[in-house]
Amino acid sequence: MNTSSPYPYREMEEALRQLLAEHGSNDYARHELAPLIAAKSLLMNHLYEDLGLASRKEMNALMQEHFPALAARKPENIRWKKYLYDLLGKTAPACGMCQDFDECFDCQIVQ
């Protein structure tokens, strides 16, 4: 009997949802945004694009408002998706195909 999840990234999505929920500034951030951001983080575009935002500036504003502790620690030159997965000690599914590889690669956050 195969007990593996039919959705191979379910554990990563849940870990990211938990991380975001722990750092959410309010119920909306913890219960609405955290699951949405976690799910969208598995897609293949930049996180701001998959969230329907127009720019990285909008992404930063969203995260600063709703996840201020995470935003305060994020290095300026690291993309949000990469940063969040670094905090988990994981690699986002899209990272292997990203065109910004040179700007983002090997930026593990020292905790």
Side-chain angles (χ1 to χ4, degrees):
M1 179 177 188
N2 183 356
T3 59
S4 65
S5 171
Y7 181 53
Y9 300 113
R10 186 174 308 277
E11 292 83 15
M12 290 171 61
E13 180 181 355
E14 178 57 21
L16 185 54
R17 186 204 60 75
Q18 287 178 1
L19 173 75
L20 291 165
E22 289 169 9
H23 291 88
S25 62
N26 54 43
D27 283 345
Y28 175 70
R30 290 187 289 275
H31 301 295
E32 302 292 329
L33 287 178
L36 175 66
I37 293 169
K40 295 294 186 176
S41 77
L42 299 173
L43 300 177
M44 295 298 133
N45 296 311
H46 291 291
L47 188 52
Y48 78 91
E49 294 171 327
D50 287 327
L51 288 169
L53 301 173
S55 67
R56 288 186 176 94
K57 185 176 180 178
E58 284 187 13
M59 181 74 195
N60 285 330
L62 174 84
M63 297 304 283
Q64 287 170 354
E65 179 179 351
H66 297 288
F67 305 96
L70 293 175
R73 292 179 50 206
K74 183 185 145 315
E76 188 175 325
N77 62 335
I78 302 304
R79 307 293 188 242
W80 270 103
K81 187 184 295 190
K82 175 75 169 127
Y83 169 66
L84 292 171
Y85 277 91
D86 280 353
L87 291 175
L88 297 176
K90 304 283 185 187
T91 300
C95 285
M97 296 179 280
C98 181
Q99 298 302 311
D100 287 336
F101 191 76
D102 291 336
E103 292 182 39
C104 210
F105 182 70
D106 200 25
C107 60
Q108 286 289 325
I109 304 299
V110 178
Q111 300 203 32

